[in-house]
Amino acid sequence: MKRMTCFQDDFTVKTNKVKEIILITDQVADVVKRSGIESGICLVYAKHTTSAISINEAVDPSVRLDLVTAFNHLSPQLEQYRHMEKNSPAHVLASLVGPSEAIPVRDKALFLGTWQGIYFCEFDGPRIRKVCVQVLG
Amino acid sequence: MKRMTCFQDDFTVKTNKVKEIILITDQVADVVKRSGIESGICLVYAKHTTSAISINEAVDPSVRLDLVTAFNHLSPQLEQYRHMEKNSPAHVLASLVGPSEAIPVRDKALFLGTWQGIYFCEFDGPRIRKVCVQVLG
Amino acid sequence: MKRMTCFQDDFTVKTNKVKEIILITDQVADVVKRSGIESGICLVYAKHTTSAISINEAVDPSVRLDLVTAFNHLSPQLEQYRHMEKNSPAHVLASLVGPSEAIPVRDKALFLGTWQGIYFCEFDGPRIRKVCVQVLG
């Protein structure tokens, strides 16, 4: 049994469209590597209310496009919405997908599945956003 | 590197409507403060099957109302449902939004974004519910 | 204050239908028990891009069936989808429900609510899948 520690770092993501999904696996893996933590949990967290973190198929980019299509379908602009900024559909998606993902850390690396990658999702862009990574172990 | 510890505490939330979203940021921040933990992860967990924890826009209360509108739209009462208690739409929302959120802890405080607040969501109220907070770091 | 540790183990889940939800509470509870960890966090993680982990009503099996009904309703096969494998509806559900759940650990056990159980959800089966459990505390 070794002593536990907490390592943290942030990075910036720039989106160019209204809704966009960007792969951030490499940036997160780099923080885990620099942490030197052998086993534990890596928390990836978006500090924004119209964005989210998700994990899904990383190889075929059309999965990301299909997810954007599905998100538009799932969260339309409803007539009853009252929020003045008119971006309630983006807030709804932020709550459905969620602001964070926790991933196991094993052998000093992210323990992702073969096809899994980490996504940063923006639902009300374009924006410059911050992603926080917290590695505990 | 300091020794790690785990601090835990609970609090109660009372809802008054069938579907209601209540801000609990202050209660969670208080547990983190009392933990004395400098950096780590704070897990906020709802022990109920028709409720959820979410993070979203905390300033304009109309965002919470719009989320309730969206949740009604997303999870209607379907004819095929078989569950005898007739609250399957609430169970569906509990699985979509999820029973917990994990938030980074830095400098002995929740590391939330400027506009982010922590929500307790009840989808089959009114109820008196328990929220568990686990701070690790 | 005791020293913290991280305990990890995996188990396999076999699904038999296209969409299926299977209770895995006992398997996860067994890992937590073997960890000997008194208090902390248990992360349950699915390493696959068409599956998810959820927490919901464990007693009445019709809740699981109703959730499958709701998932079919929420994520239909849309004409605009481009992904060649034709399983985009399953990827969408994987992102909505999410690949993991974190549960408080207290008194050397999962701190679940009375009616809560842990679900493994497969949206593009039948499959043989791996579930990873990481206990930190």
Side-chain angles (χ1 to χ4, degrees), chain B residues 84-132:
Chain B
M84 297 248 294
E85 291 185 47
K86 302 286 178 204
N87 60 355
S88 286
H91 288 300
V92 170
L93 291 168
S95 275
L96 289 179
V97 181
S100 73
E101 290 295 341
I103 304 133
V105 174
R106 297 189 185 180
D107 300 322
K108 299 190 179 186
L110 288 168
F111 196 60
L112 290 167
T114 314
W115 309 103
Q116 286 183 321
I118 307 170
Y119 292 166
F120 176 84
C121 311
E122 176 60 55
F123 306 120
D124 187 33
R127 303 264 191 178
I128 294 170
R129 296 305 211 180
K130 205 182 235 185
V131 176
C132 311

Side-chain angles (χ1 to χ4, degrees), chain B residues 41-59:
Chain B
I41 290 172
C42 171
L43 179 69
V44 186
Y45 186 85
K47 290 185 75 173
H48 311 280
T49 60
T50 63
S51 55
I53 305 295
S54 187
I55 289 171
N56 218 312
E57 223 272 25
V59 181

